[in-house]
Amino acid sequence: PPSPAVRNFTLNFTITNLQFTADLAMPNSKKFKSTEKVMYYYTDSLLQKSSIGPYFTGCKVTRFRSGRDRDDTGVDAVCSYKTNVSLATFDREKVYHELSTMTNGVTKLGHYSLEKNSLYING
């Protein structure tokens, strides 16, 4: 049988209690790297508990960006999963609803608060 292919999807959300600073925009800064590790911890643990979990291989933060308010920070990530015959198709709506539930209606991600309408998944 052919080996599973790796597919990507984007994951975007806005944190309302993480003030955006210039060093968050620089991928080599200490602030970017430390915040990136925290985001990996939270996003990976949630996605491993979702229906995509058995196929999920990880997320990579591509950037932090300024949110609508000065105190908001947007997070953009590319996440990966392996396709498999038992995974019919990536159901982004299902994964969105699962993540929405696991984040209390898109309000909490660990010790971070989320902008309620900011979660976006694109498969």
Side-chain angles (χ1 to χ4, degrees):
S3 62
V6 175
R7 303 270 188 238
N8 295 327
F9 63 97
T10 59
L11 175 66
N12 313 90
F13 53 90
T14 300
I15 299 170
T16 60
N17 61 338
L18 175 63
Q19 186 172 8
F20 182 79
T21 56
D23 52 346
L24 270 176
M26 299 184 315
N28 293 322
S29 72
K30 286 182 181 179
K31 177 94 173 194
F32 182 100
K33 295 214 176 285
S34 65
T35 306
E36 177 184 46
K37 285 180 185 174
V38 174
M39 289 305 114
Y40 288 152
Y41 173 78
Y42 287 131
T43 58
D44 286 9
S45 64
L46 287 178
L47 286 162
Q48 287 169 350
K49 294 174 194 167
S50 74
S51 59
I52 196 86
Y55 315 100
F56 175 70
T57 58
C59 289
K60 169 102 177 92
V61 173
T62 55
R63 76 177 176 141
F64 294 107
R65 57 187 156 67
S66 178
R68 285 185 214 141
D69 294 326
R70 198 178 50 123
D71 291 337
D72 296 356
T73 297
V75 179
D76 297 335
V78 174
C79 303
S80 303
Y81 65 96
K82 290 181 181 172
T83 60
N84 188 305
V85 289
S86 58
L87 177 66
T89 57
F90 175 74
D91 187 340
R92 73 181 183 94
E93 287 186 27
K94 182 177 183 180
V95 173
Y96 172 88
H97 288 293
E98 291 169 345
L99 293 182
S100 177
T101 299
M102 288 187 266
T103 57
N104 296 334
V106 193
T107 60
K108 280 284 192 205
L109 182 65
H111 64 274
Y112 292 111
S113 298
L114 299 177
E115 184 179 289
K116 186 159 179 55
N117 297 314
S118 70
L119 180 63
Y120 181 74
I121 297 172
N122 183 15

